Amino acid sequence: MTELTHPLATVPRDELVARAEADPLRPRFHFVSPAGWLNDPNGVSQWNGVYHLFYQYNPEGAFHHRIQWGHATSTDLVTWTDQPIALEPSAGPDADGCWSGVLVNDGGTPTLVYSGRVDERELACVAVGSADLMTWTKVPENPVIAAPPAGVDITAYRDHCVWREGTTWRQLVGSGIRGRGGTAFLYESSDLRSWTYVGPLFIGDASKGDPADTDWTGTMWECVDLFRAGEGALGSVTGLDEATHPDVLVFSAWDDGDTRHPLYWTGRYSGDTFEPAALHRLDYGGRFFYAPQSFEDESGRRIMFGWMQEGRSDAAMVEAGWSGVMSLPRVTTLADDGTLEFAPVPEVEKLRRNHVSVPGKVLVGGGTPVDTGVSGNQLDLELDAQLAPDAVLRLGILGSGDGVEETVIEVSRSLEGENGILRLDRTRSSLDSEVDVEDKSGPVPMPDGWVRLRVLVDRSAVEIFANGKPLTARVYPTLGGERVTLTAAEGTVSLASFEAWTMADSWGGPRPLFP
């Protein structure tokens, strides 16, 4: 659970809903809460063929005031149905909030392990569900972990990753050791109720690097997630080749209330420890893809959701009546170089409408931007191109007719080698001087200069995938621009194909705060 404060509690419930529905920047095919505050994905799973998305939710908007678990279901990961609140605070260890956690299958019984908050501390709690996951009962043993490890000066302690190894349950709790760095504390149990502390799985080093760096590991790790890359879950893949299927430890770097960015270590989980091999950025958008959680669905895919935070002022969020977007679900796969690759789940394509195809052509640096004939603020774009050495391809989206506002996606190829850079330029995305326009970028493998670019635009939500490397961000155009352009800013770009679709809404109309 990400620790932040928020001002939406000052707005009456009915007005929140009206404001949210009227906001032209509110995404229409990404999941958003009916109104109020949304953040971390929780308990993401598929149960008896139905996908479940639980999430941190406060219908009345204030973060620290009785945060609860919203709940939505889907059969296709695209169209969602709001369900009744799954967890809400009650007298006891979660009196001040039901914070982030996971769903596990305990011999056929759906079981939530989550952080209960009371008196400014968080401890592990458990709730068991009905067969349809619609009603939940908190167990009398809560909190099932009475306190953080004794004798350790921690920076924070919350969020859970739980899995089964044989007859034993294992759990990671995100934390940090003051003066050292972020960590994940390992526990084990036979029944999910009584837990034995094993030790820190692995401890980061916050003294390495500059806190402003995009790969600084932070003083605390939120929302830890451990799985083996390639296929399957930890408990079922011991036969996989360890050299080609590394274990992955995902975490979100946090520092004194500041949400930084998601990272992951590749390495080897064995016994009671994790031996890291390399550190990687999970998403080049930094905090705009935060607190991710993944699960293996019934077809064996590893699917991940993340929280797309806001990048506008508190006053703007109050005016809008809502805050926070859930990323589209993305499939996680293993690249040839041992890193992770990502793509939106194929089911997203069912929302495509009004196909436009741009013929292949050669773009030369300094030429006039190509008006693609594509327009809209709900779009799915696919582009294949080959860049000459030192060439730069620019794709403009959400452009106003006068060119005053435009968001620019830029791919550049190195002068030598097989690599390039993906960059998002938001300096002209909005006339609102208070929105976040920080530069976002990261490296992309580009064999022989080829890049496949996938861009999903949903009003204020943008998700970009370049050869499997993601960059997620928020933009806040004020002029309602919908123009899409292509140009070679430098060098020569051979455009092989450009396909575009407008995207239908996932929701049919207004939604009640309490289904």
Side-chain angles (χ1 to χ4, degrees), residues 399-423:
S400 58
D402 56 10
V404 171
E405 283 187 348
E406 185 180 45
T407 296
V408 177
I409 299 157
E410 183 176 280
V411 180
S412 58
R413 181 183 176 185
S414 303
L415 184 60
E416 299 179 356
E418 299 285 282
N419 296 312
I421 297 293
L422 170 66
R423 176 173 175 253

Side-chain angles (χ1 to χ4, degrees), residues 28 31 53 68 74 79 99 102 230 238 275 284 290 294 302 328 374 430:
R28 301 302 191 199
F31 182 86
L53 170 63
Q68 49 200 271
S74 175
T79 54
W99 285 22
V102 294
T238 53
E275 293 294 332
Y284 297 150
Y290 196 81
S294 70
R302 178 151 295 274
L328 293 172
V374 177
S430 178

Side-chain angles (χ1 to χ4, degrees), residues 121-124 141-149 157 187 193 195:
R121 70 172 186 168
E122 296 83 50
L123 293 173
E141 295 91 341
N142 285 339
V144 296
I145 298 177
Y157 180 85
Y187 295 80
R193 309 298 194 272
W195 292 89

Side-chain angles (χ1 to χ4, degrees), residues 7 47 157 159 200 205 216 229 246 298 311 318 331 354 357 363 367 383 446 452 477 482 486 492 500 512:
W47 190 279
Y157 180 85
D159 309 333
D205 186 351
W216 185 59
E298 292 170 4
V318 170
V331 178
N354 307 316
S357 182
L363 307 176
L383 180 155
M446 293 177 60
R452 165 155 253 193
E482 299 184 348
L486 271 174
T492 301

Side-chain angles (χ1 to χ4, degrees), residues 203-220:
I203 304 172
D205 186 351
S207 69
K208 287 185 177 179
D210 187 325
D213 290 346
T214 55
D215 60 356
W216 185 59
T217 58
T219 58
M220 186 262 178

Side-chain angles (χ1 to χ4, degrees), residues 270-443:
S270 179
D272 299 335
T273 61
F274 180 88
E275 293 294 332
L279 179 68
H280 311 272
R281 297 166 66 189
L282 188 74
D283 189 291
Y284 297 150
R287 71 180 188 87
F288 290 112
F289 186 84
Y290 196 81
Q293 189 176 107
S294 70
F295 69 102
E296 183 187 359
D297 76 356
E298 292 170 4
S299 66
R301 302 181 298 180
R302 178 151 295 274
I303 297 173
M304 181 177 288
F305 286 87
W307 167 39
M308 300 177 68
Q309 297 188 46
E310 295 294 332
R312 52 181 169 177
S313 67
D314 286 351
M317 285 184 270
V318 170
E319 182 64 27
W322 65 280
S323 175
V325 180
M326 203 64 69
S327 75
L328 293 172
R330 55 184 64 171
V331 178
T332 305
T333 54
L334 182 65
D336 291 340
D337 64 0
T339 63
L340 298 182
E341 290 185 348
F342 299 90
V345 294
E347 290 91 329
V348 169
E349 297 171 14
K350 71 180 291 184
L351 296 176
R352 288 173 168 176
R353 305 288 187 271
N354 307 316
H355 179 222
V356 174
S357 182
V358 176
K361 60 185 66 181
V362 176
L363 307 176
V364 179
T368 302
V370 176
D371 194 334
T372 61
V374 177
S375 65
N377 61 8
Q378 294 176 214
L379 298 170
D380 188 355
L381 310 174
E382 289 189 349
L383 180 155
D384 283 281
Q386 185 179 33
L387 280 66
D390 217 23
V392 179
L393 170 68
R394 284 182 179 167
L395 171 65
I397 58 173
L398 299 172
S400 58
D402 56 10
V404 171
E405 283 187 348
E406 185 180 45
T407 296
V408 177
I409 299 157
E410 183 176 280
V411 180
S412 58
R413 181 183 176 185
S414 303
L415 184 60
E416 299 179 356
E418 299 285 282
N419 296 312
I421 297 293
L422 170 66
R423 176 173 175 253
L424 179 65
D425 180 358
R426 297 181 294 160
T427 53
R428 294 193 299 115
S429 291
S430 178
L431 294 181
D432 184 348
S433 62
E434 297 187 15
V435 302
D436 184 319
V437 294
E438 182 182 22
D439 189 84
K440 300 294 182 183
S441 63

